[in-house]
Amino acid sequence: MTTYRVNTQKLSDPICYNNLMTETKVRTRFAPSPTGALHAGTVRTALFAWLTARQAGGTFILRIEDTDQAREVDGAIENIVESLRYLGIDWQEGLEIGGDYGPYIQSQRLHIYKEWADKLANKGLAYPDPYTPEELESFRAQARNEKRPFLFRHHRPDNPPKWDGTKALRLKSNPREYSWHDEVMGDLSAGPDAVDDFIIMKADGFPTYNFCHIIDDYLMKITHVIRSQEFISSMPRFLNLYEALEIDAPVFATVPNVLGPDGNKKLSKRDGAKQIIEYKNEGYPPEALMNFLATLGWNDGTEQEIFSPKELIDKFDLKRVQRSGARFDERRLLWLSGAHIRNMEIDDLYNRVEEFWPESASEASDSYKKEVLILVKERLKFYAELPSLTKFFFEDLPVDDNLISEHKQLKKYSKEQLKTLLQVSRTALEKPKWEPQEIQDVLNELIETTGEKPVCLFGLIRIAISQNPSSPALNDTLALLGKDKSLRRIDEQLSEFA
Ligand code: GLU
């Protein structure tokens, strides 16, 4: 019997050794099928593979697996590229950039798969499938009636003809127990029923994923195959193929699913899972999304939650990826995103938000916009929030009565009371030199003289000057708006109470 070996090199070692004992750098890959836009779950797998390569000073490869052409979706490759670029997951080899082991698009490698398939067929380890779909279905129905699992190998033909490429080619499986190690899932094994004579080449000349990814990983010298959970049940078949092809298997790591917010099932579009590009369009800092995705089911063993990309590269460890699914919690993403924004230098943030200002900001000076940004930075969670948070700094907004009627405290006041309060405030605000500290002194005095709570009095002034229930610190906001504009807006609000 052929002995089968899984590479036992440790992930933490920057260098691994293949069977020839020659030094090989860590090489990981992301191998998406262009069947749709990239979402959080898939991109997290790519991120783990990228972090593994970057940490080891290795190579991350982008390969496109497009052998199931019926499922291909227009624009999917562009979406994959744009999503990865936005996140900063860069590849050193593969799509668009090439490399020593190309082409990196499977549909351009059909001749390679054909050669390897011929090798197996010539050795008697693969044979053309002699059955029609109807015949196959009748075998299946028979198995169902007899309440036993259907296995193709029970119908393996005795003397198959030579494969001429016009029929599907099936692997002649070796039904035995297969054991392997998975960096995340631990030591695993499966009995003979997990392997069968599966199709490796289809009648149309295209290989199946099960077959060609193994050839590609081998030829592209991939040292660590990091992929999602859906493939783990096929591992015995893959191991059977490594054995038949007489090639060493790489290190395997299975990344568990990302679960929906209820924690029960895989995250789906119905849970509001967005495309990665939507986060780009809404202005989430890419390092925040990367932080969020990396800590979906991974931590560094401390309480640390906020990681820069560099820290992730330094600290990531596949062995600390949890085996159970990780719950997708968009509120955590919002929190992380706000935290990354708060950590940014103002000039950096200013450059990043350029396209997100409200239209009315187009005439404003850079220095004014920067002042505005300094004030709202604390509260900004993603850049597309900028117009709603800052519009009033650039344009007069119509008085919105609902802001009072929906205000927890102010709705209890009569129009008369509100009018008096705002009038008193206006008079007091006419006095100070228009600087934040002076304005604050006046506001404090107003609290003393009126006996009102800050939440009510400041809430009222805030609504008058911003038509917004919340704004940055009131004194700073007033100072930046300027005295004339502030008083004019207070007058505007007062006329509503008349
Ligand atoms: N083409 C497969 C997919 O998109 C990749 C699986 C793998 O990483 O081996 O799911």
Side-chain angles (χ1 to χ4, degrees):
M1 193 205 289
T2 324
T3 49
Y4 162 74
R5 266 185 45 212
V6 174
N7 220 329
T8 51
Q9 161 261 332
K10 292 217 178 62
L11 277 172
S12 46
D13 297 345
I15 301 296
C16 75
Y17 299 91
N18 67 14
N19 56 339
L20 299 168
M21 298 306 281
T22 52
E23 282 191 7
T24 313
K25 285 239 170 164
V26 167
R27 292 170 60 84
T28 65
R29 53 35 167 209
F30 177 44
S33 302
T35 52
L38 274 194
H39 285 80
T42 324
V43 121
R44 185 184 60 146
T45 308
L47 176 61
F48 286 179
W50 180 78
L51 289 170
T52 303
R54 287 296 304 267
Q55 185 174 73
T59 305
F60 177 66
I61 295 146
L62 177 59
R63 178 173 82 217
I64 298 296
E65 301 204 328
D66 61 344
T67 56
D68 193 351
Q69 303 228 312
R71 291 181 57 225
E72 206 165 320
V73 167
D74 270 357
I77 294 185
E78 290 77 4
N79 178 284
I80 290 165
V81 166
E82 190 183 348
S83 304
L84 294 177
R85 293 226 163 103
Y86 153 61
L87 274 169
I89 299 179
D90 57 344
W91 55 104
Q92 291 71 50
E93 210 178 289
L95 188 74
E96 290 185 355
I97 50 177
D100 291 344
Y101 307 100
Y104 293 88
I105 298 181
Q106 286 186 329
S107 58
Q108 296 170 11
R109 300 171 62 81
L110 299 184
H111 57 289
I112 300 174
Y113 311 129
K114 172 77 173 40
E115 248 173 58
W116 284 78
D118 277 334
K119 255 193 252 177
L120 284 180
N122 293 341
K123 283 202 312 198
L125 288 173
Y127 60 90
D129 181 341
Y131 301 114
T132 62
E134 294 72 29
E135 283 169 323
L136 261 184
E137 188 38 46
S138 80
F139 296 150
R140 281 210 178 84
Q142 196 185 339
R144 269 197 305 274
N145 288 342
E146 292 166 15
K147 296 200 171 27
R148 54 172 174 81
F150 166 74
L151 285 169
F152 193 95
R153 59 182 149 83
H154 293 154
H155 305 274
R156 194 183 282 166
D158 289 332
N159 288 308
K162 195 172 156 30
W163 183 55
D164 62 5
T166 61
K167 282 209 152 65
L169 186 68
R170 282 188 186 266
L171 176 76
K172 190 171 167 193
S173 62
N174 178 12
R176 66 171 177 91
E177 176 167 309
Y178 286 88
S179 314
W180 72 100
H181 179 74
D182 184 296
E183 286 293 306
V184 175
M185 299 297 180
D187 291 324
L188 302 169
S189 63
D193 277 0
V195 293
D196 196 11
D197 292 4
F198 62 90
I199 292 181
I200 57 178
M201 292 292 284
K202 294 177 275 183
D204 63 4
F206 278 77
T208 56
Y209 160 77
N210 289 344
F211 179 56
C212 64
H213 86 273
I214 289 177
I215 313 279
D216 287 346
D217 285 343
Y218 173 70
L219 294 177
M220 295 177 186
K221 298 193 169 12
I222 302 301
T223 57
H224 301 72
V225 166
I226 299 166
R227 72 181 143 212
S228 56
Q229 197 175 334
E230 64 189 288
F231 297 100
I232 201 160
S233 58
S234 302
M235 274 301 292
R237 293 165 176 233
F238 300 159
L239 295 177
N240 189 169
L241 250 178
Y242 283 106
E243 181 181 86
L245 295 165
E246 294 180 54
I247 56 180
D248 270 356
V251 175
F252 295 109
T254 298
V255 181
N257 285 335
V258 175
L259 305 176
D262 61 4
N264 287 330
K265 51 177 182 352
K266 199 171 158 189
L267 181 71
S268 73
K269 279 185 211 149
R270 252 170 292 136
D271 300 313
K274 290 184 196 151
Q275 297 182 15
I276 296 304
I277 293 304
E278 290 179 72
Y279 294 112
K280 179 186 180 196
N281 295 341
E282 289 173 14
Y284 284 79
E287 61 269 49
L289 188 54
M290 183 185 278
N291 186 163
F292 172 69
L293 293 170
T295 50
L296 264 177
W298 171 83
N299 64 63
D300 72 342
T302 72
E303 298 287 298
Q304 183 170 348
E305 297 211 56
I306 299 168
F307 295 88
S308 66
K310 171 148 188 347
E311 284 176 305
L312 289 174
I313 291 170
D314 289 345
K315 297 181 176 181
F316 182 72
D317 182 356
L318 270 177
K319 289 205 171 66
R320 289 197 57 83
V321 173
Q322 72 187 35
R323 289 182 186 172
S324 53
R327 207 166 55 84
F328 184 88
D329 179 0
E330 196 145 271
R331 282 168 317 181
R332 182 159 187 277
L333 170 60
L334 271 180
W335 173 76
L336 277 172
S337 185
H340 278 270
I341 289 175
R342 285 194 293 282
N343 282 342
M344 282 178 202
E345 297 291 335
I346 196 70
D347 286 333
D348 178 22
L349 179 60
Y350 186 68
N351 290 333
R352 297 191 195 211
V353 301
E354 198 180 339
E355 310 150 30
F356 291 90
W357 289 105
E359 247 176 73
S360 47
S362 59
E363 301 288 293
S365 69
D366 282 335
S367 61
Y368 183 74
K369 284 198 288 193
K370 221 176 253 186
E371 292 295 327
V372 171
L373 196 57
I374 290 170
L375 289 191
V376 299
K377 184 180 167 200
E378 286 299 305
R379 311 179 57 231
L380 189 65
K381 292 182 294 306
F382 54 96
Y383 311 149
E385 283 186 322
L386 212 51
S388 66
L389 292 179
T390 68
K391 228 173 180 175
F392 71 90
F393 281 107
F394 305 101
E395 63 191 283
D396 294 332
L397 300 173
V399 173
D400 179 357
D401 292 335
N402 294 330
L403 292 173
I404 302 273
S405 59
E406 285 163 12
H407 192 284
K408 256 201 174 116
Q409 269 84 23
L410 294 176
K411 67 180 180 193
K412 299 178 194 149
Y413 289 63
S414 70
K415 269 194 171 185
E416 208 48 50
Q417 286 172 308
L418 292 170
K419 186 176 171 185
T420 312
L421 265 182
L422 197 55
Q423 187 65 60
V424 171
S425 307
R426 191 207 191 280
T427 311
L429 281 168
E430 280 166 25
K431 287 183 301 190
K433 189 164 149 254
W434 209 251
E435 296 290 343
Q437 190 50 55
E438 276 79 355
I439 297 172
Q440 188 59 49
D441 293 344
V442 168
L443 292 173
N444 291 344
E445 264 171 51
L446 270 170
I447 292 294
E448 298 253 317
T449 53
T450 61
E452 292 293 335
K453 288 193 199 122
V455 62
C456 300
L457 185 72
F458 295 174
L460 178 60
I461 303 173
R462 174 169 281 127
I463 287 174
I465 59 158
S466 68
Q467 296 305 318
N468 217 305
S470 49
S471 72
L474 185 56
N475 63 328
D476 291 331
T477 307
L478 284 161
L480 187 58
L481 274 175
K483 192 170 189 169
D484 290 351
K485 202 180 273 177
S486 300
L487 296 181
R488 183 161 44 72
R489 289 187 183 175
I490 290 176
D491 289 340
E492 206 40 48
Q493 183 82 40
L494 276 169
S495 66
E496 288 295 307
F497 297 138

